[in-house]
Amino acid sequence: MPPQARSRMAEILLFASNFVRHPHMLGSIIPSSRFLVNQVLAPIDWEQARVIVEYGPGVGTLTGEILRRMRRDAHLVVIETNRDFVRFLRTSLQDPRLHVEHNSAAQVQAVLHRLGLPSASYIISGIPLGSMPEPVQADIAEKSRDALEHEGQFLVYQFTSRVLPVLQRSFRYVRRSFERRNLPPAKVFVCATQVPGGWDAS
Ligand SMILES: C[S@@+](CC[C@H](N)C(=O)[O-])C[C@H]1O[C@@H](n2cnc3c(N)ncnc32)[C@H](O)[C@@H]1O
């Protein structure tokens, strides 16, 4: 087996074995498909983005692609609660622009402050918000909004639409789309407090 296929297989096995132990924390048995990755990352203006945060990177399926696309002087902060994934990311992705934090998404502001970084241009969330109690969803949505710069965007992908009312309470603009080429098919929400360029403001 070629080395690239072998490392992809190791990622899938690590992910699936953690799904067996923590099904509610992961929400899916395999990492996101490249179709979903492309759709979630599509709104990002890579020239402008200086600080990007990712919640729940898992084995780094989006992380690697973000690093590939982002500026050489940008920072990527990934926040993950699962210790196995944190250890895996710290050894497999060696990039000076990457900060791997063993913490919860709810601590985003404290993490940025400790790293001495300004507000984020984008926060990308792959955590199963819809399976969390509503006050926890609301807390993470509000803290994410407050950790974003003025024109920042919160990019959320989920396997249900349960989180939608919470997102709509925290963000004035929420645009929905769907990616069926993923297991399971996923909903994608782009959330902002200022109308993003190219959107109809009505
Ligand atoms: C559906 S997996 C997504 C993994 C990867 N981003 C992908 O798309 O393939 C959800 C991830 O969120 C992590 N997670 C769950 N709750 C979290 C929280 N409150 N803060 C940070 N990470 C969390 C889980 O450990 C898991 O790695």
Side-chain angles (χ1 to χ4, degrees), residues 107-124:
Q107 300 303 317
V108 59
Q109 290 163 298
V111 167
L112 289 176
H113 183 74
R114 191 167 40 73
L115 293 171
L117 293 173
S119 303
S121 311
Y122 297 91
I123 298 178
I124 301 159

Side-chain angles (χ1 to χ4, degrees), residues 135-192:
V136 177
Q137 296 178 32
D139 182 52
I140 292 176
E142 283 163 21
K143 286 184 173 148
S144 302
R145 180 197 57 211
D146 296 346
L148 282 166
E149 60 189 27
H150 193 55
E151 296 190 345
Q153 295 180 18
F154 187 36
L155 311 176
V156 177
Y157 58 103
Q158 294 283 287
F159 305 124
T160 75
S161 289
R162 276 196 291 268
V163 72
L164 180 61
V166 166
L167 295 176
Q168 286 172 325
R169 277 202 296 277
S170 292
F171 293 89
R172 181 154 178 210
Y173 302 97
V174 178
R175 178 172 275 185
R176 284 178 271 172
S177 61
F178 184 62
E179 179 52 71
R180 66 180 72 250
R181 293 164 296 178
N182 190 69
L183 199 68
K187 327 258 184 227
V188 180
F189 305 93
V190 179
C191 314

Side-chain angles (χ1 to χ4, degrees), residues 8 15 18 22 24-33 36-37 54-63 79-83 85 101 103-106 125-129 132 136 140 157 159 182:
R8 178 73 182 143
F15 197 88
N18 269 280
H22 315 285
H24 299 297
M25 292 297 272
L26 267 68
S28 158
I29 194 165
I30 55 167
S32 295
S33 70
L36 180 57
V37 172
E54 183 190 3
Y55 299 156
V59 293
T61 312
L62 276 84
T63 318
I79 304 180
E80 173 58 65
T81 47
N82 181 302
R83 196 180 294 276
F85 293 156
E101 292 290 311
N103 215 324
S104 166
S125 175
I127 66 178
L129 281 168
M132 298 175 182
V136 177
I140 292 176
Y157 58 103
F159 305 124
N182 190 69

